[in-house]
Amino acid sequence: QVQLVESGGGLVQAGGSLRLSCSASGRSPHVYAFGWFRQVPGKEREFLAAISWRGDSTYYADSVKGRFTISEDNAKSTVYLQMNNLKPEDTAAYYCNADLDVKVIMTDHGDYWGQGTQVTVSS
């Protein structure tokens, strides 16, 4: 199992940037693939980005491609989501997700979730 804790959310103006962090702990976190999702009240959770367990492959939803970047620091067991040129429609709760298979994260969602961190983008 792996435990996930997100941080880095907050209030930012449109056009600004934020970096979210997801700290992973537990048994062998480095063997997991990770992803980021977001959710707005009343809507389904939306896949944003994923990174393979080796960190050598990344995947993005079209809605964030070119603005968001997923990366990881295996030494710190931390996954990041750098978000640039933020828009009011990016306002949501952002969640870290983990699974042994990155394809599961991309097509559905992995088995493990963090508690979420709120991002609010003002216009």
Side-chain angles (χ1 to χ4, degrees):
Q1 287 192 352
V2 64
Q3 292 78 45
L4 307 173
V5 178
E6 302 95 334
S7 61
L11 175 64
V12 64
Q13 287 189 333
S17 298
L18 279 176
R19 189 177 77 161
L20 305 183
S21 299
C22 172
S23 178
S25 60
R27 187 174 180 179
S28 302
H30 62 279
V31 304
Y32 285 85
F34 294 91
W36 286 95
F37 290 70
R38 67 186 177 191
Q39 190 170 24
V40 175
K43 293 191 176 181
E44 290 190 359
R45 204 163 285 192
E46 176 191 8
F47 166 78
L48 301 176
I51 188 165
S52 62
W53 72 274
R54 284 194 180 95
D56 56 352
S57 296
T58 56
Y59 309 89
Y60 296 95
D62 288 342
S63 59
V64 303
K65 198 175 293 183
R67 297 192 299 126
F68 290 10
T69 302
I70 189 170
S71 62
E72 64 179 14
D73 183 337
N74 271 331
K76 296 182 180 179
S77 296
T78 301
V79 179
Y80 304 99
L81 186 68
Q82 177 67 43
M83 307 187 295
N84 298 328
N85 190 23
L86 283 161
K87 305 174 182 179
E89 51 264 43
D90 293 317
T91 295
Y94 283 69
Y95 296 89
C96 184
N97 185 238
D99 198 275
L100 293 173
D101 188 345
V102 70
K103 292 184 179 67
V104 171
I105 296 174
M106 293 168 60
T107 59
D108 186 11
H109 58 77
D111 288 335
Y112 304 100
W113 292 99
Q115 83 288 351
T117 186
Q118 179 67 32
V119 171
T120 302
V121 184
S122 63
S123 57

